[in-house]
Amino acid sequence: MVLKIGVIGCGGIANGKHMPALAQVEEVAMVAFCDIIEERAVAAKEKYGTEDAKVYTDYQQMLAESQLDVVHVCTPNNAHAPISIAALEADCHVMCEKPMAKTPEEARQMVVAAKRTGKKLTIGYQNRFRKDSLYLHEVCQEGALGDIYFGKAHAIRRRAVPTWGVFLDEEAQGGGPLIDIGTHALDLTLWMMNNYQPKFVVGKTYRELAETKNAANAWGPWDPEKFTVEDSAFGFVTMENGATIFLESSWALNTLDVKEAKTSLCGTKAGADMNDGLRINGEDHSLLYEKQVELETGGVDFYDGAGDDPSLIEAKSWISAILNDTEPVVKPEEALVVTEILAAIYESSKTNQPVYLNK
Ligand SMILES: NC(=O)c1ccc[n+]([C@@H]2O[C@H](COP(=O)([O-])OP(=O)(O)OC[C@H]3O[C@@H](n4cnc5c(N)ncnc54)[C@H](O)[C@@H]3O)[C@@H](O)[C@H]2O)c1
């Protein structure tokens, strides 16, 4: 069976992840492309589409006409919920880019729409499919770290403010580095801890470097006038079972301690971090140990390549969940909790109060 896929939003992440990965998955055909900037949809069709693939500038028209099985939503954050819900209601399975939505309310509506329609919904947290993440997840799930009672979610850039698209626009994105890259680090941390029950959150956001003119930046200086989101944000989450998580996120920060899409975990039996490769630490026979996990399998080249590109594993795992009617690895209910915690950090910063998340 070949699944008919439509891509909505043919910009950076569609070209950098979704379309090249889907092009390597046998069981799919990309038959429809939509972007409000038509040339982008045309270029995507030419590079990745079937011969008779269609181009749209209006996603509703695409959903009404194209008889799709699957839709990938790769638009800015404010369009994630309305487009995902419309696609679910048009009888499509949906992969929506991260963050799930701008607000928890929108994310909740997405979960409800998936339940109501019986279609699958997943979120593009491809960092779960990295080799180190998959290995560490197995280690955590079999209990080798014991009870994980403290986690750190790292999303720290020194000067890498995304200057393309609408990343700096509060209205379109709902926030800056916290919702953009903090979301990946928090997702990884919660997934490793297998703990989705936050109790209360405190946090603070900053705009201390956003006004800098001619700033040193990985993608060239940003325009301070357009920079309406935070430049860094920090949060502390207390879970129902007493475990705690510290989340650090920035696009621009005066620090040398740069790490992104990483987690550090402290458990009763052992700890783990991703700060210098993947390391496990603990105590054995009254001495401390540190184990460096070798992520390359020495000396063997598999005939079809190592096949460990997280984007490709993400796409294959998603398509296989649809074909075999299994749950996707990234469950929408999990991404909803990430969204709730991020929103609580923003709220706590505004009110200078802890925010309680009542289940
Ligand atoms: N998974 C990751 O690591 C990762 C990395 C980068 C971006 N993203 C996410 O992907 C999303 C898009 O980011 P990007 O970097 O590709 O941005 P982008 O600006 O490069 O691309 C977004 C595209 O969506 C189009 N678009 C906007 N509104 C639309 C609508 N209503 N209908 C159809 N097309 C529309 C724009 O014209 C643009 O071409 C964001 O939510 C971002 O958080 C995820």
Side-chain angles (χ1 to χ4, degrees):
M1 174 175 181
V2 172
L3 296 171
K4 290 199 282 174
I5 299 203
V7 178
I8 305 181
C10 302
I13 196 65
N15 281 284
K17 181 176 88 170
H18 296 260
M19 300 187 298
L22 289 170
Q24 297 175 67
V25 180
E26 273 175 21
E27 302 92 339
V28 306
M30 285 176 266
V31 301
F33 300 86
C34 173
D35 200 295
I36 47 173
I37 301 173
E38 193 172 7
E39 311 86 272
R40 293 191 180 171
V42 171
K45 174 205 145 116
E46 277 164 12
K47 191 154 181 203
Y48 296 105
T50 53
E51 236 166 70
D52 56 351
K54 299 275 184 300
V55 162
Y56 296 92
T57 52
D58 175 355
Y59 74 86
Q60 273 158 335
Q61 195 188 349
M62 167 171 150
L63 294 174
E65 286 180 14
S66 273
Q67 307 267 308
L68 300 167
D69 301 306
V70 185
V71 163
H72 282 220
V73 180
C74 307
T75 59
N77 302 350
N78 61 352
H80 288 184
I83 296 180
S84 297
I85 293 169
L88 289 163
E89 276 167 358
D91 219 23
C92 299
H93 302 290
V94 174
M95 161 158 306
C96 176
E97 252 315 323
K98 54 51 53 174
M100 184 171 189
K102 239 180 93 170
T103 66
E105 190 38 45
E106 285 182 334
R108 251 171 248 129
Q109 287 169 15
M110 290 164 74
V111 171
V112 169
K115 289 220 170 90
R116 186 174 60 234
T117 57
K119 305 309 278 188
K120 292 187 199 299
L121 171 64
T122 195
I123 308 300
Y125 286 123
Q126 77 278 357
N127 288 295
R128 288 200 194 183
F129 299 94
R130 296 189 329 235
K131 213 170 188 180
D132 55 345
S133 307
L134 290 167
Y135 178 88
L136 183 55
H137 187 249
E138 231 175 275
V139 168
C140 293
Q141 295 326 295
E142 68 195 26
L145 303 190
D147 289 334
I148 304 169
Y149 56 92
F150 180 52
K152 288 193 267 184
H154 311 286
I156 294 287
R157 297 178 182 171
R158 197 173 166 199
R159 292 290 188 286
V161 176
T163 47
W164 68 94
V166 292
F167 282 92
L168 307 185
D169 180 345
E170 166 78 36
E171 177 46 38
Q173 292 289 93
L178 180 60
I179 200 167
D180 181 42
I181 54 175
T183 192
H184 275 304
L186 182 58
D187 174 66
L188 269 186
T189 306
L190 296 177
W191 190 51
M192 299 300 172
M193 293 172 82
N194 190 23
N195 187 339
Y196 289 94
Q197 297 198 305
K199 187 169 186 188
F200 67 94
V201 171
V202 289
K204 196 74 201 152
T205 68
Y206 294 89
R207 285 180 41 81
E208 299 298 328
L209 305 183
E211 307 287 340
T212 312
K213 294 198 175 101
N214 294 317
N217 188 42
W219 293 290
W222 59 82
D223 180 351
E225 305 245 310
K226 290 193 176 148
F227 203 139
T228 57
V229 293
E230 82 280 1
D231 54 35
S232 55
F234 309 95
F236 193 78
V237 188
T238 300
M239 310 300 279
E240 288 285 354
N241 71 349
T244 51
I245 297 171
F246 171 60
L247 165 57
E248 52 173 8
S249 65
S250 81
W251 284 336
L253 190 69
N254 287 321
T255 180
L256 296 177
D257 195 9
V258 168
K259 43 196 167 203
E260 184 172 344
K262 288 185 171 166
T263 186
S264 304
L265 305 165
C266 307
T268 47
K269 288 193 194 157
D273 70 74
M274 296 170 156
N275 299 335
D276 182 13
L278 178 57
R279 298 181 299 194
I280 315 279
N281 70 80
E283 184 178 330
D284 188 22
H285 291 87
S286 305
L287 287 175
L288 299 180
Y289 71 85
E290 182 185 319
K291 180 169 93 177
Q292 185 87 38
V293 181
E294 289 209 16
L295 295 166
E296 300 310 321
T297 325
V300 182
D301 256 344
F302 295 107
Y303 67 96
D304 57 352
D308 50 11
D309 167 14
S311 310
L312 181 55
I313 301 176
E314 178 187 61
K316 283 186 172 170
S317 151
W318 164 232
I319 297 305
S320 136
I322 296 171
L323 292 173
N324 299 310
D325 194 17
T326 54
E327 268 200 293
V329 171
V330 180
K331 297 168 191 58
E333 293 82 2
E334 297 168 348
L336 167 60
V337 174
V338 175
T339 310
E340 286 172 335
I341 292 174
L342 299 181
I345 293 174
Y346 284 122
E347 192 185 333
S348 169
S349 181
K350 272 192 204 129
T351 59
N352 280 316
Q353 297 288 329
V355 173
Y356 282 80
L357 295 158
N358 298 318
K359 288 281 149 190

